[in-house]
Amino acid sequence: MSHSTRRATLRATLRDRELDALLVTNLLNIRYLTGFTGSNAALLVSADSDEATAFCTDGRYLIQAERQVPDLERVVDRPCDVALTTRAAEAGLRRTGYESGHVTIEALDLLTEAAGRVELVRAPGLVEELRLVKDDAEVEALRMACAAADRALAGLIEHGGLRAGRTEREIARELENRMLDHGADGPSFESIVAAGANSAVPHHRPTDAVVQPGDFVKLDFGALVDGYHSDMTRTLVVGRAADWQRELYELVAASQAAGRRALAPGTGTGAVDAAARGVIEEAGYGDRFPHGLGHGVGLQIHEAPALSKVGAGTLLPGMAVTVEPGVYLAGQGGVRIEDTLVVRQGAPELLTLTTKELVVL
């Protein structure tokens, strides 16, 4: 789907909301609608046409904007949000929406002063609603990001990078470098490598803790490709796996499989969480699964929809989500298994292809 097609879809939404335009100031939403990747911009999307839509950035990005946004009128000014609000006033736009979730009180005062007779209307989440369902280009970027992460982990294991005697930081650094080697623009987020008792901390940050024989090693990581994030967690054992480790792993694997099976168009997000959580609760470990089942992924590593107990809404074909149950035994160890998937009619499309069998190194 082209950026112009996305803007056309947004224009239909604006007309439905009886808005003459939308002032877009969230840089991720600007990227989604235009392809621009710079750090300063604003976009005034007219409900009428692209010809009446204007993009603004400052002089640092003039050449970049000419290359990335060739199909819109380009304004060079700053602050861009004020410049485009002034333009809306000059064009006589009666009702202009703004991204109220991303505009500070101070910025709103400036916009109101520039708006004149234009009515500024709170319009949160309009672009985010479009971003919920990924188009083919977005899914392909997610596939590439997931593939880079899969290959990085495979290389780390193949070349002995996961072994007793290495620190969590050393493993995390090598894993991230390998993602770069396989085409990633960078990591999706700070990689989690958690060994031994640290694996019971859901969002442990890598330290100089040394991997010991018999440790669980939990790796939660992802690759960034063309602005899109992958997200995957695998938990392995270094050395011999104890019976309790195998039992815990099998429980989480069963929960994760139930969550994947529940991913279907029309299913409530809370129901997906319940399908996976019920497996863990029946085993008596419900209080050891303290977070939601998953989240959307795309231009952000965490975006809508949320798969959780309090999740609202239903799944739609084309949504990209994670399924990541975990059970954490404080002072002992924990297991989380996570995939990135795309909701499809029938079975979901699995993007993270690393085995979910327990790997013992």
Side-chain angles (χ1 to χ4, degrees), residues 24 41 83 93 100 138 158 162 184 188 202 228 242 249 251 293 303 331 346:
V24 183
L93 301 177
S100 53
E138 293 179 287
E158 180 182 352
L162 266 174
S188 289
Y228 286 81
Y249 191 93
L251 172 61
L293 178 65
E303 59 183 46

Short mmCIF file of all heavy atoms in Angstrom, two decimals, residues 24 41 83 93 100 138 158 162 184 188 202 228 242 249 251 293 303 331 346:
data_model
loop_
_atom_site.label_atom_id
_atom_site.label_comp_id
_atom_site.label_asym_id
_atom_site.label_seq_id
_atom_site.Cartn_x
_atom_site.Cartn_y
_atom_site.Cartn_z
N VAL A 24 -1.02 16.30 12.02
CA VAL A 24 -0.31 15.11 12.52
C VAL A 24 1.06 15.55 13.01
O VAL A 24 1.86 16.11 12.24
CB VAL A 24 -0.17 14.05 11.40
CG1 VAL A 24 0.50 12.79 11.96
CG2 VAL A 24 -1.52 13.73 10.81
N ALA A 41 9.08 17.25 12.01
CA ALA A 41 8.12 17.37 10.92
C ALA A 41 6.72 17.53 11.48
O ALA A 41 6.46 17.25 12.66
CB ALA A 41 8.16 16.16 9.99
N ALA A 83 3.37 26.43 12.08
CA ALA A 83 3.34 26.86 10.69
C ALA A 83 2.14 26.26 9.95
O ALA A 83 1.45 26.94 9.19
CB ALA A 83 4.64 26.48 10.00
N LEU A 93 -10.01 26.56 7.05
CA LEU A 93 -10.48 25.26 7.52
C LEU A 93 -11.22 25.46 8.85
O LEU A 93 -10.64 25.95 9.82
CB LEU A 93 -9.31 24.30 7.69
CG LEU A 93 -8.49 24.03 6.41
CD1 LEU A 93 -7.31 23.12 6.71
CD2 LEU A 93 -9.37 23.43 5.33
N SER A 100 -4.23 14.85 20.13
CA SER A 100 -4.22 15.32 21.52
C SER A 100 -3.40 14.43 22.44
O SER A 100 -2.95 14.89 23.50
CB SER A 100 -5.66 15.44 22.04
OG SER A 100 -6.38 14.23 21.85
N GLU A 138 4.18 -3.63 5.06
CA GLU A 138 4.52 -3.68 6.49
C GLU A 138 4.80 -5.11 6.94
O GLU A 138 5.76 -5.35 7.69
CB GLU A 138 3.37 -3.08 7.31
CG GLU A 138 3.17 -1.59 7.10
CD GLU A 138 2.02 -1.07 7.93
OE1 GLU A 138 0.85 -1.35 7.57
OE2 GLU A 138 2.27 -0.38 8.93
N GLU A 158 25.18 -21.76 17.04
CA GLU A 158 26.08 -22.56 16.21
C GLU A 158 27.54 -22.31 16.52
O GLU A 158 28.37 -23.23 16.49
CB GLU A 158 25.79 -22.28 14.75
CG GLU A 158 26.67 -23.07 13.77
CD GLU A 158 26.39 -22.73 12.33
OE1 GLU A 158 25.41 -21.98 12.07
OE2 GLU A 158 27.14 -23.19 11.46
N LEU A 162 26.45 -19.15 23.24
CA LEU A 162 25.66 -19.40 24.44
C LEU A 162 26.30 -20.56 25.20
O LEU A 162 26.10 -21.72 24.87
CB LEU A 162 24.22 -19.76 24.06
CG LEU A 162 23.22 -18.61 24.03
CD1 LEU A 162 21.88 -19.08 23.49
CD2 LEU A 162 23.03 -18.02 25.42
N ALA A 184 19.67 -6.22 9.92
CA ALA A 184 18.91 -5.32 10.79
C ALA A 184 19.53 -3.93 10.79
O ALA A 184 20.75 -3.78 10.68
CB ALA A 184 18.85 -5.88 12.21
N SER A 188 15.51 -3.99 18.11
CA SER A 188 14.19 -3.40 18.36
C SER A 188 14.14 -2.69 19.71
O SER A 188 13.39 -1.72 19.87
CB SER A 188 13.10 -4.48 18.36
OG SER A 188 12.87 -4.98 17.08
N PRO A 202 10.95 -10.76 34.79
CA PRO A 202 10.41 -10.65 33.43
C PRO A 202 11.20 -9.73 32.51
O PRO A 202 11.47 -10.07 31.36
CB PRO A 202 8.98 -10.14 33.66
CG PRO A 202 8.61 -10.70 35.00
CD PRO A 202 9.87 -10.64 35.80
N TYR A 228 10.40 -1.22 11.25
CA TYR A 228 9.49 -2.21 11.84
C TYR A 228 10.24 -3.17 12.76
O TYR A 228 11.37 -3.57 12.47
CB TYR A 228 8.74 -2.96 10.73
CG TYR A 228 7.67 -2.08 10.13
CD1 TYR A 228 7.98 -1.12 9.17
CD2 TYR A 228 6.35 -2.15 10.58
CE1 TYR A 228 7.02 -0.27 8.66
CE2 TYR A 228 5.38 -1.30 10.08
CZ TYR A 228 5.72 -0.36 9.12
OH TYR A 228 4.76 0.49 8.63
N ALA A 242 17.22 -29.94 34.45
CA ALA A 242 16.60 -30.62 35.57
C ALA A 242 15.13 -30.92 35.27
O ALA A 242 14.53 -30.30 34.39
CB ALA A 242 16.71 -29.76 36.83
N TYR A 249 9.01 -25.64 31.49
CA TYR A 249 9.06 -25.29 30.06
C TYR A 249 7.86 -25.87 29.32
O TYR A 249 7.23 -25.19 28.50
CB TYR A 249 10.37 -25.80 29.44
CG TYR A 249 10.59 -25.24 28.05
CD1 TYR A 249 11.33 -24.08 27.87
CD2 TYR A 249 10.05 -25.85 26.93
CE1 TYR A 249 11.51 -23.54 26.60
CE2 TYR A 249 10.22 -25.32 25.67
CZ TYR A 249 10.96 -24.16 25.51
OH TYR A 249 11.13 -23.64 24.26
N LEU A 251 4.95 -26.55 30.47
CA LEU A 251 3.75 -25.80 30.84
C LEU A 251 3.64 -24.51 30.02
O LEU A 251 2.58 -24.22 29.46
CB LEU A 251 3.78 -25.48 32.34
CG LEU A 251 2.67 -24.54 32.84
CD1 LEU A 251 1.30 -25.14 32.63
CD2 LEU A 251 2.91 -24.18 34.31
N LEU A 293 -0.59 -11.23 27.85
CA LEU A 293 -0.14 -12.28 26.95
C LEU A 293 0.67 -11.73 25.78
O LEU A 293 1.58 -12.40 25.29
CB LEU A 293 -1.34 -13.06 26.41
CG LEU A 293 -1.01 -14.17 25.42
CD1 LEU A 293 -0.20 -15.28 26.07
CD2 LEU A 293 -2.28 -14.73 24.79
N GLU A 303 2.56 -1.68 20.58
CA GLU A 303 1.46 -0.87 20.09
C GLU A 303 0.19 -1.69 20.16
O GLU A 303 0.20 -2.86 20.54
CB GLU A 303 1.74 -0.36 18.66
CG GLU A 303 1.99 -1.43 17.63
CD GLU A 303 2.32 -0.82 16.25
OE1 GLU A 303 3.16 0.11 16.18
OE2 GLU A 303 1.75 -1.29 15.24
N GLY A 331 13.94 -16.43 42.60
CA GLY A 331 15.10 -17.08 43.19
C GLY A 331 15.48 -18.39 42.56
O GLY A 331 16.49 -18.99 42.93
N GLY A 346 -8.24 -18.45 9.20
CA GLY A 346 -7.65 -19.75 9.47
C GLY A 346 -6.53 -19.59 10.49
O GLY A 346 -6.65 -18.86 11.46
#
